[in-house]
Amino acid sequence: MSTSPYLGKAQRGFPFTVGEAADRVRCHDWHAGPLGHPDGWPLALRHATSLMLASPESMYLVWGDELVFLFNDAYSPILGPRLEQAMGAPLRTLWADAWDAVKGPVEQALAGGSSRYVDMPVRMNRYGVEEETWWTFSFSPIHREDGSIGGVFCVTREVTQAIVAQRRLAHENERLIALFEKSPMFMAFLSGPEHRVELANPRYAEMVGNRPVIGQRLADAIPEVIDQGYLPLLDQVYRSGETYIGTEVTYDPVAADGGTAEPRKLDIVFQPVKDEAGQSIGVFVQGLDVTSQVALQRRLRRSEARHRQIMDSAMDYAIFAMDLEGRITLWNEGARHTLGWTEAEMLGQTPERFYLEKDRRAGRFQHGMKVALAEGGLSGERPLLRKTGETFWAQGALTLLRDEEGTAIGFVIVLRDRTLERAAVDALAASERRLGALVAASSQVLYALSADWRERRQILRQGDTAQLLPPDWNWREAFVHPDDRAMVDAAIAEADRQKKPFEIQHRTPLRNGSHRWVLMRVVPMLDADGAVSEWFGTATDITGKREAEERLQQLTVTLEERVRERSAELLMTEEKLRQSQKMEAVGQLTGGIAHDFNNLLTSVSMGLELLEMRVAQGRIDDLGRYVEMARSGADRAAALTQRLLAFSRRQTLAPTGVVVEQMVLGMMEIITRSLGPSIAISTAFDDGGAAVQVDGPQLENALLNLCINARDAMPDGGTLAISSHAVELAGTDAAALELPAGPYVRLSVRDSGTGMEADVVAKVFEPFFTTKPIGQGTGLGLSMIYGFTRQSGGQVQVDSRPMQGTTMHLYLPRMAEGTQAPADPAAAVAEKEVRRGPMRTVLLVEDETAVRVLVSEVLVSAGYRVIEASEGPPALDVLRSVEPIDLLLTDVGLTGPLNGRQVADAGRQCRPGLPVMFITGYAASAAVGAGHMEAGMEVLAKPFSAAELVRRADALLSRSEDAPRSPRPTAG
């Protein structure tokens, strides 16, 4: 018998293939459907079925109008739960959920067309849950023998897993790209030995100044990497295949203008990238800009050093820290001063070292740590040992330290030597015991009072105290001193309110005019309802106790004085010396000022006397010489007055916008001449050309004085550096300088001279303090600089160390960015002729008759109409009238009820925008408004020249000419 498989196929009948799908065709009841038995099927259907069943590819076909469904074994897994009823079922019913997706291609194939779809999405419900699937399939028509189309043949393949995998991969790629692009680290990929930039994220672009680098060699795109040593490192990583890690390396980027920008600190990693063969194909660069972190660490270190210095300055307190095992990790100078051991001797030790032997045996320190760990801290007072073996009483507090998350990390102990205070307390306690015994042995008066304090009932009245209470018991008037009655009445009212006992000490007057001290104690008796039914009290003579307490207090003061006695003697000697130097400096100052003023007054008075004589004689040919002599003396007197006002910090300032760099460069010639050839001068400006709001001439004078002081500190020559920096002060920095937060320019003068001790630095701004020999300085220079700077809204800071030089910092308020420093007013007026219209009217308010007459004549001579007033009220009457007023010229310090600023403010109420010029010979800042003047207001300091008065008036009116004229008040 033959075993050929084909023979077996012939025996099975149509279809002749093997497999589950073929068995389903053979076993299906086709008679019940539209196709009938397979023996009667059209030849085209039988051939297509045989081809499909024999194919390893996933296929199905549909036949006839009902679209009867047939499939092969490769398609079976796609059917899922539909497998059992799928063979011979109508396609529309079998795949109802996917019919919309395949309807078009099926109808197209039935019409004779073919179609193919790749990765087409189809939503279907194969396992009871709707799912998204993807398919690649083709539809082809199946022709009968007569050429008509009987069905559709479909070759299909599910690609859902591939599509999902592709999408997942694409999502991962997108995520990686997003991480690459948004990473806070800078990243780049450099390919090949030339390190050509193929990839770079935005952080990398920012770090290199956003220069175009993609596709370029690193050396061409970022040439600074060559000189800064990064290119050899990259070459080494590429050749060796070993990773390079750098921490806080320095990178100097190139600014947009080609200069060097601020250096950066970087943490970097150069990672070699290798192919399958292990050969380097490039270098992956990644890193992080840690400049701010490095700066923060430096600030933290400085802050820690400052805090340590503050802690060490607490010499009266022993402060030390411990870990959780009790080992000491920090020991301040106060601990060394109190206990005797140095920090080096105590680090790693425990405080048991200075505990008494009995406390060590009792484990008192370990017990204290347990209590502090459980409750957060504890305090107390007990005897301890010094390094010398001496016992002393210490009051201390043990506090638990925690980190930011609240975890315990250690302890801190603060101790204070209480030996002297303890002795005083013991003495006080002994005294109180003695006084208690004395009081207990003394006689007392016992009494009862009604609830309203009016009626009294005697209980016990004997001894000396009894004599203090009169028989009539009118105790408020007779028993309480008049000065103490209000206090006693208040105590009684409070006792009534709270229904609680009280005691009070008061004086009791005696008939001889003296008084005794009495301790009054009163307790309430409450009824069943809680109301006061009666008061019981005692009166005790405590005059002796009060006197004893006063003596004890005096004893305590005496003890403290003895402790400070030695220091006081030394301080007294030093103070006497300083006072002697001050008085000598004051004598030199007053003598010098008197000498200078006598010389100046001589030149003024004699010049005017000669001028009067020559006029009387009719000799007018050489009068100019005497006029110049008087004018020169007056100018010198004005300059001397300004220096005195600067010393007193009450000078009139005219703040304008001053560009520090321009001012310093303009003064270099005079500074160089003043310092001499033995001192080298350098300048550095890092303020961006910012302007400061100060009086320009005063700032120049201050800078010149600082340079001269620096010269005196360098008798053998040296270097002087002048620099300026723009700074922003906020928080503790502003508070430390006693300045409001905001922008400032710091003008610094640094010398390489002898420097100063800390105690000298603390006194440099005191008037008359000087380190120069007697006769070579009065000690006013730095005081005047300090006064001018503070009056300008700034601050002065000194940084000096012995033999390390001195740096003086002037912090000056910076003008807002975009604000231009105004040009010199004189130059501005000189550049253009002042526009003159009709005659302008000036309201002049001045209480000095001579000054008012002279100013009026000058203005009238310059073409102005002048209305005069000697006080504020008459001037206000003019301002409120219909009189045309173009300029208000007023003295600040007027006599009468109104000052100049009040007149100006009231005048602007009825004439908005009225130009105002204040004139003053004293401190204008307070009266005018401390620098807060409105637009169109100016200050002119006395003395001033006639030309300066006219120029300033013309300039003020010229600037306000384009603005609307102030309206005149209407009559009525």
Side-chain angles (χ1 to χ4, degrees):
M1 180 173 135
S2 172
T3 60
S4 171
Y6 295 102
L7 183 59
K9 295 175 184 177
Q11 292 173 348
R12 283 192 292 270
F14 181 82
F16 305 107
T17 57
V18 294
E20 291 183 8
D23 291 341
R24 290 179 187 276
V25 173
R26 285 190 287 270
C27 296
H28 187 72
D29 183 11
W30 296 102
H31 294 286
L35 295 185
H37 194 274
D39 292 342
W41 287 0
L43 186 60
L45 176 57
R46 290 170 63 88
H47 288 167
T49 301
S50 297
L51 175 64
M52 175 188 67
L53 293 172
S55 175
E57 296 294 330
S58 174
M59 299 179 182
Y60 70 86
L61 63 84
V62 293
W63 190 266
D65 295 336
E66 291 80 3
L67 300 179
V68 178
F69 187 79
L70 295 90
F71 59 91
N72 65 358
D73 287 335
Y75 189 83
S76 295
I78 297 175
L79 291 165
R82 308 175 204 232
L83 177 61
E84 295 302 325
Q85 68 268 21
M87 189 65 73
L91 177 63
R92 297 182 183 90
T93 303
L94 179 66
W95 285 113
D97 52 334
W99 172 245
D100 291 339
V102 299
K103 177 182 178 182
V106 170
E107 291 177 349
Q108 182 179 353
L110 291 173
S114 300
S115 59
R116 185 173 188 274
Y117 298 87
V118 178
D119 299 342
M120 181 177 181
V122 178
R123 296 190 67 84
M124 59 174 58
N125 190 335
R126 292 185 290 185
Y127 303 100
V129 178
E130 189 176 59
E131 60 179 322
E132 188 79 19
T133 62
W134 285 267
W135 303 85
T136 295
F137 53 83
S138 63
F139 289 92
S140 304
I142 304 175
H143 294 271
R144 295 186 177 92
E145 290 78 358
D146 60 359
S148 63
I149 298 174
V152 177
F153 191 81
C154 177
V155 179
T156 183
R157 178 168 58 91
E158 184 176 4
V159 294
T160 301
Q161 292 184 351
I163 294 298
V164 171
Q166 290 175 1
R167 289 191 172 186
R168 185 182 298 113
L169 181 60
H171 177 72
E172 289 296 324
N173 288 338
E174 291 176 358
R175 191 167 68 89
L176 289 175
I177 291 173
L179 290 175
F180 182 78
E181 292 292 325
K182 298 178 181 179
S183 173
M185 303 179 68
F186 59 84
M187 301 180 183
F189 175 67
L190 313 177
S191 67
E194 295 181 339
H195 310 303
R196 195 172 298 276
V197 183
E198 288 193 2
L199 295 172
N201 70 344
R203 299 289 84 75
Y204 187 89
E206 291 175 3
M207 186 186 66
V208 299
N210 294 309
R211 286 175 283 182
V213 297
I214 301 299
Q216 299 190 52
R217 294 191 316 154
L218 188 67
D220 297 332
I222 313 173
E224 65 265 22
V225 300
I226 302 175
D227 295 336
Q228 296 182 27
Y230 289 101
L231 196 61
L233 284 176
L234 290 169
D235 292 339
Q236 177 65 23
V237 171
Y238 184 85
R239 286 194 303 267
S240 66
E242 296 179 355
T243 302
Y244 169 78
I245 300 176
T247 302
E248 295 185 11
V249 299
T250 301
Y251 169 61
D252 295 324
V254 175
D257 57 1
T260 300
E262 180 182 357
R264 314 300 298 171
K265 290 293 184 180
L266 310 175
D267 286 349
I268 58 173
V269 177
F270 295 161
Q271 179 72 40
V273 180
K274 302 179 181 180
D275 57 15
E276 294 79 359
Q279 298 297 319
S280 295
I281 60 173
V283 178
F284 184 72
V285 176
Q286 62 179 340
L288 191 65
D289 188 338
V290 295
T291 305
S292 59
Q293 293 91 320
V294 172
L296 176 60
Q297 291 173 359
R298 290 176 179 173
R299 288 196 296 271
L300 286 176
R301 287 194 292 268
R302 288 196 296 268
S303 177
E304 290 175 356
R306 188 163 56 249
H307 292 163
R308 179 57 190 259
Q309 185 176 359
I310 293 172
M311 188 178 67
D312 283 342
S313 66
M315 295 297 292
D316 292 338
Y317 291 88
I319 304 173
F320 53 93
M322 306 177 298
D323 58 20
L324 290 176
E325 284 72 36
R327 292 187 295 269
I328 293 175
T329 58
L330 183 145
W331 185 266
N332 81 330
E333 277 296 299
R336 182 196 63 79
H337 176 75
T338 301
L339 292 160
W341 286 280
T342 65
E343 185 173 29
E345 292 173 324
M346 291 303 299
L347 290 180
Q349 302 293 324
T350 69
E352 288 182 297
R353 190 169 189 177
F354 43 82
Y355 270 56
L356 298 181
E357 180 62 29
K358 62 178 182 179
D359 290 338
R360 286 198 292 267
R361 288 197 303 268
R364 187 170 296 278
F365 171 67
Q366 290 79 3
H367 175 72
M369 284 202 304
K370 291 179 181 178
V371 173
L373 194 60
E375 301 180 3
L378 76 161
S379 60
E381 183 172 309
R382 66 181 316 92
L384 297 175
L385 290 174
R386 303 190 203 273
K387 183 179 180 180
T388 59
E390 174 191 359
T391 301
F392 72 101
W393 277 93
Q395 182 184 48
L398 173 62
T399 304
L400 183 65
L401 296 179
R402 300 182 184 274
D403 60 14
E404 296 81 358
E405 299 176 355
T407 303
I409 59 174
F411 304 91
V412 64
I413 294 181
V414 179
L415 296 177
R416 186 167 67 92
D417 189 342
R418 285 262 299 161
T419 305
L420 293 177
E421 296 178 22
R422 180 85 178 196
V425 169
D426 291 343
L428 178 60
S431 176
E432 287 181 343
R433 288 193 298 270
R434 291 192 299 271
L435 289 174
L438 178 62
V439 171
S442 64
S443 299
Q444 298 186 9
V445 173
L446 303 180
Y447 54 86
L449 295 171
S450 61
D452 59 2
W453 300 87
R454 295 181 181 273
E455 299 179 4
R456 67 97 181 164
R457 177 169 54 88
Q458 188 78 21
I459 298 176
L460 176 65
R461 184 172 184 265
Q462 62 183 5
D464 296 336
T465 306
Q467 299 176 5
L468 301 177
L469 293 173
D472 58 3
W473 243 106
N474 189 4
W475 63 278
R476 293 212 191 197
E477 287 74 18
F479 188 54
V480 181
H481 194 281
D483 294 342
D484 294 343
R485 287 173 190 168
M487 175 184 65
V488 173
D489 290 343
I492 291 174
E494 183 66 15
D496 275 337
R497 187 180 67 82
Q498 296 189 359
K499 301 177 183 178
K500 290 184 178 181
F502 82 93
E503 67 177 46
I504 190 170
Q505 298 179 11
H506 64 83
R507 289 166 293 177
T508 294
L510 301 179
R511 292 180 179 179
N512 61 7
S514 63
H515 68 270
R516 303 285 292 177
W517 278 96
V518 174
L519 174 62
M520 177 182 179
R521 292 191 180 97
V522 181
V523 296
M525 175 176 287
L526 305 180
D527 59 18
D529 297 328
V532 177
S533 61
E534 197 173 11
W535 297 89
F536 287 92
T538 64
T540 305
D541 188 343
I542 60 169
T543 305
K545 180 180 178 181
R546 292 281 298 203
E547 293 174 352
E549 288 176 347
E550 292 176 0
R551 288 195 299 271
L552 180 60
Q553 183 178 5
Q554 184 62 36
L555 174 62
T556 303
V557 172
T558 303
L559 288 175
E560 293 177 352
E561 288 297 326
R562 289 177 181 176
V563 172
R564 295 192 298 266
E565 186 176 15
R566 180 59 179 168
S567 299
E569 291 178 357
L570 296 175
L571 290 175
M572 184 180 299
T573 302
E574 181 181 354
E575 184 61 25
K576 288 180 179 179
L577 179 60
R578 289 184 57 199
Q579 186 65 26
S580 173
Q581 293 174 342
K582 280 186 179 181
M583 295 307 298
E584 185 173 354
V586 170
Q588 292 175 357
L589 174 65
T590 54
I593 292 174
H595 177 269
D596 288 347
F597 263 112
N598 285 333
N599 288 337
L600 299 175
L601 292 175
T602 299
S603 63
V604 173
S605 60
M606 187 170 292
L608 293 176
E609 183 179 357
L610 290 174
L611 179 63
E612 182 182 16
M613 183 186 302
R614 292 294 187 268
V615 171
Q617 296 173 352
R619 297 169 55 186
I620 61 174
D621 52 343
D622 57 349
L623 296 183
R625 182 161 60 93
Y626 305 118
V627 171
E628 181 61 29
M629 182 188 305
R631 179 182 298 165
S632 174
D635 290 343
R636 289 167 57 199
L640 180 58
T641 303
Q642 288 299 317
R643 287 196 296 272
L644 291 173
L645 287 175
F647 160 68
S648 65
R649 305 174 190 173
R650 304 174 71 87
Q651 76 267 40
T652 300
L653 300 179
T656 60
V658 177
V659 178
V660 175
E661 181 177 357
Q662 295 177 1
M663 182 206 72
V664 174
L665 295 178
M667 294 181 61
M668 286 307 296
E669 182 178 355
I670 187 172
I671 291 174
T672 302
R673 290 201 308 267
S674 299
L675 300 188
S678 63
I679 297 176
I681 306 174
S682 64
T683 58
F685 305 99
D686 188 22
D687 55 13
V692 294
Q693 188 77 16
V694 296
D695 187 304
Q698 291 289 347
L699 180 57
E700 292 177 354
N701 185 49
L703 176 59
L704 184 59
N705 274 322
L706 289 178
C707 293
I708 293 174
N709 281 351
R711 178 200 64 188
D712 295 341
M714 298 182 288
D716 299 326
T719 59
L720 179 82
I722 304 174
S723 61
S724 63
H725 299 272
V727 295
E728 290 284 341
L729 295 181
T732 55
D733 293 337
L737 291 170
E738 299 179 1
L739 291 174
Y744 294 84
V745 170
R746 185 179 64 212
L747 176 61
S748 304
V749 177
R750 177 172 55 84
D751 64 62
S752 60
T754 55
M756 295 178 285
E757 297 283 354
D759 57 338
V760 176
V761 173
K763 302 174 184 177
V764 291
F765 297 124
E766 293 182 5
F768 311 115
F769 179 78
T770 179
T771 59
K772 298 177 182 179
I774 296 177
Q776 297 185 17
T778 62
L780 292 176
L782 287 179
S783 178
M784 288 189 289
I785 293 173
Y786 179 82
F788 153 70
T789 307
R790 294 297 282 164
Q791 191 175 349
S792 301
Q795 181 60 281
V796 185
Q797 186 182 52
V798 185
D799 183 7
S800 183
R801 299 290 186 278
M803 307 311 297
Q804 297 182 17
T806 300
T807 303
M808 304 291 293
H809 301 289
L810 302 187
Y811 288 84
L812 302 169
R814 192 168 78 221
M815 296 178 67
E817 293 187 8
T819 304
Q820 296 293 329
D824 182 12
V829 174
E831 289 178 358
K832 63 177 182 178
E833 182 179 356
V834 177
R835 291 176 288 180
R836 293 281 186 134
M839 177 178 289
R840 296 297 184 92
T841 300
V842 177
L843 174 58
L844 172 61
V845 189
E846 171 61 65
D847 53 359
E848 284 288 341
T849 303
V851 176
R852 186 173 67 251
V853 170
L854 291 173
V855 171
S856 177
E857 289 186 7
V858 170
L859 292 175
V860 170
S861 300
Y864 287 97
R865 175 172 169 260
V866 180
I867 300 175
E868 298 182 16
S870 61
E871 290 186 344
L876 282 184
D877 293 339
V878 176
L879 289 170
R880 291 168 180 161
S881 69
V882 295
E883 185 75 36
I885 303 297
D886 298 289
L887 173 64
L888 172 63
L889 182 63
T890 177
D891 188 13
V892 175
L894 295 173
T895 58
L898 299 176
N899 62 32
R901 180 58 190 259
Q902 292 170 328
V903 172
D905 290 341
R908 282 202 167 189
Q909 293 290 326
C910 56
R911 298 175 183 261
L914 174 67
V916 178
M917 181 179 294
F918 298 102
I919 55 176
T920 180
Y922 196 53
S925 59
V928 176
H932 302 292
M933 293 193 296
E934 302 173 4
M937 290 184 174
E938 291 186 2
V939 179
L940 179 61
K942 297 177 182 178
F944 49 80
S945 65
E948 177 69 8
L949 171 64
V950 174
R951 183 188 67 77
R952 291 287 295 275
D954 288 346
L956 180 57
L957 286 173
S958 177
R959 284 194 295 273
S960 62
E961 195 170 69
D962 295 331
R965 294 287 298 276
S966 59
R968 304 176 187 175
T970 57

